[in-house]
Amino acid sequence: MELTSVGAVTGTAGCSNILGSSGSTTAPSSNTSGKSRAELQNRIAELQSRVESLQDDISSKDEEIVSLRQDLEELQERSNEKDQTARSLRSDLREAEARIEELEQSVEYQYSAEVRQSATDAGRKLREAVVLFEFEYEGNFGSSGTGWFIDQNHIITNRHVVQDAGTATSKTGYLLDGTEFDFSVSHTAEDDDIALVETDVTAPYIPPLGTASSLTAGQPLVQVGHPAMIGNWVISLGEFLKDQEFGNGLHTEMPSTSGNSGSPLITLDGTVVGLTYASGSRDTNSGPPTPSEEGAVEEYPYQEVQYSIHEGIDTVLDYYEQWTEK
């Protein structure tokens, strides 16, 4: 009886232990699973909330980007406007500087920049027709003068420039490019300071001939010659004053000195209207003459404003046609 009771108790106890263990295992497992699902759902809700928040942030950033782009476009437009303003100001500045320069020149020079440029252009072309005569005489004496081509092989100059050519120990003519040529005096006028020279060299340029009767007081005129101590093929600019009260000459305010004798006098369009006459010796230099710089000279450095006298082209043509029977 005692063993059976113990066994029953033990068996009951053992059976009770098994059931108790089985119940203990099932109940805790069911509670843990339920708790994990709740936590996951909460976690998912939190993540969804964060995603929504990030989407809101992205939308806000997109709006900021759009705003910044608009600001950048406005700044670019302002920059372009400022660049245009700067270009306009620079253009205005250049115009102002040019105007100032023009005003300064008008104060410094008698003639406008336009007139001086026209004189230089006309004189530059005329230089091709102008020649230099140089003479040497016994006793180491020399003289020189100017002439210009009136046709292919004839040169107009002053009588006093060539009147002693027959007694010269040597005589040489020069073209602008340095070419030397021989020449002979064909004719000289008795009553006017005009002479005609012949040469075998061909004229590089023959200027057109006009009439002195077309000149008006104050009209700008140009002369090309070889003024002593100034240079060779010098372009001078002066104005017409009036016809001489005697003879057939013209009166101008043209810078001239010895060596200019025989220079052609032209209008700004290059038409010959006169023949300058001036006298005086000229210092001769060794070697061939070299042309002076191009540019119209309004006065010579050591001279005050002076008056020059010229034979009118109409008188020159009368003699030329008589001498050449043209």
Side-chain angles (χ1 to χ4, degrees), residues 197-253:
V197 171
E198 285 185 299
T199 179
D200 291 333
V201 71
T202 302
Y205 170 66
I206 301 172
L209 307 179
T211 175
S213 62
S214 64
L215 298 176
T216 58
Q219 181 176 345
L221 298 174
V222 179
Q223 168 186 271
V224 173
H226 315 286
M229 309 303 293
I230 302 299
N232 300 302
W233 287 274
V234 174
I235 304 171
S236 302
L237 172 61
E239 67 179 41
F240 176 69
L241 298 177
K242 61 180 181 178
D243 293 333
Q244 283 186 245
E245 295 179 357
F246 57 91
N248 301 314
L250 309 173
H251 222 163
T252 68
E253 189 179 86

Side-chain angles (χ1 to χ4, degrees), residues 146 148 156-161 193 222-225 250 252 254-257 259-266 272-279 306 308-312 316:
T146 305
W148 49 277
I156 291 292
T157 187
N158 292 140
R159 181 187 65 233
H160 76 260
V161 170
D193 201 352
V222 179
Q223 168 186 271
V224 173
L250 309 173
T252 68
M254 179 72 68
S256 292
T257 186
N260 275 121
S261 298
S263 297
L265 183 72
I266 64 172
V272 179
V273 292
L275 169 68
T276 302
Y277 60 90
S279 62
Q306 65 179 54
S308 299
I309 302 174
H310 318 261
E311 298 282 7
V316 173

Side-chain angles (χ1 to χ4, degrees), residues 281-303:
S281 62
R282 174 186 170 89
D283 293 334
T284 56
N285 299 319
S286 59
T290 57
S292 297
E293 293 184 4
E294 296 179 348
V297 178
E298 296 183 32
E299 64 180 47
Y300 296 148
Y302 58 86
Q303 290 183 330

Side-chain angles (χ1 to χ4, degrees), residues 8 40 63 87 91 127 152 170 198 215 239 273 300-301 316 320:
L40 288 173
E63 292 176 356
R87 285 194 293 269
S91 177
R127 280 159 53 119
Q152 287 293 344
S170 69
E198 285 185 299
L215 298 176
E239 67 179 41
V273 292
Y300 296 148
V316 173
Y320 169 71

